[in-house]
Amino acid sequence: MTTLVIIDAANVVGSVPDGWWRDRRGAAERLRDRLAADGVPGREGPVEIVLVVEGAARGVESVPGVRVESAPGSGDDRIAELAAAAAGQPCLVVTADRELRRRVSAFGAEVAGPRAVRGDA
């Protein structure tokens, strides 16, 4: 069965102080491109990667291998909606946000921190 991997783009990008705040959209695009090329390290079997963007990163386009969801409001709310809709399917949410981790765990989602997809783990 395919694992749905939902990634909190703002949280993952914001986990490294590399100047991302000067170009939030570009930082989200670089994360998307790395995910499209490398997938999710350590994940066996097929995965569906969904990158949730918000704010200045809205409008980043999907690419083969990574579906980008532009949250109309809160990225956390969109991530929780996606996790709820995935109930009964393997689901991994990548974020360090404690409250969001609690919310998605209630739907049965597994959680991991940003290092799971940053490429420096």
Side-chain angles (χ1 to χ4, degrees), residues 37-52:
D38 301 338
V40 179
R43 278 286 143 178
E44 297 296 323
V47 296
E48 176 188 355
I49 300 172
V50 178
L51 184 66
V52 177

Side-chain angles (χ1 to χ4, degrees), residues 7-10 28-29 51-55 57-60 68-75 78:
I7 300 167
D8 182 348
E29 288 170 339
L51 184 66
V52 177
V53 297
E54 64 186 356
R58 279 191 195 102
V60 168
V68 179
E69 290 262 341
S70 291
S74 159
R78 184 65 187 134

Side-chain angles (χ1 to χ4, degrees), residues 7 10 14 18 21 26 30 33 37 42 46 62 74 81 87 90 104 108 111 113 120:
I7 300 167
D18 62 359
W21 51 88
R30 287 188 297 279
D33 294 347
S62 296
S74 159
E81 289 168 4
V104 300
V111 294
D120 63 351

Side-chain angles (χ1 to χ4, degrees), residues 42-121:
R43 278 286 143 178
E44 297 296 323
V47 296
E48 176 188 355
I49 300 172
V50 178
L51 184 66
V52 177
V53 297
E54 64 186 356
R58 279 191 195 102
V60 168
E61 298 292 325
S62 296
V63 297
V66 180
R67 185 175 96 223
V68 179
E69 290 262 341
S70 291
S74 159
D76 290 0
D77 288 346
R78 184 65 187 134
I79 290 166
E81 289 168 4
L82 291 167
Q89 163 185 6
C91 180
L92 169 67
V93 175
V94 179
T95 185
D97 183 299
R98 285 187 191 143
E99 176 59 17
L100 180 56
R101 289 168 79 114
R102 184 197 62 73
R103 288 173 68 187
V104 300
S105 292
F107 302 118
E110 179 185 352
V111 294
R115 283 181 176 250
V117 297
R118 269 200 333 230
D120 63 351

Side-chain angles (χ1 to χ4, degrees), residues 6-23:
I6 306 167
I7 300 167
D8 182 348
N11 193 269
V12 172
V13 165
S15 68
V16 178
D18 62 359
W20 59 264
W21 51 88
R22 291 188 291 271
D23 182 12

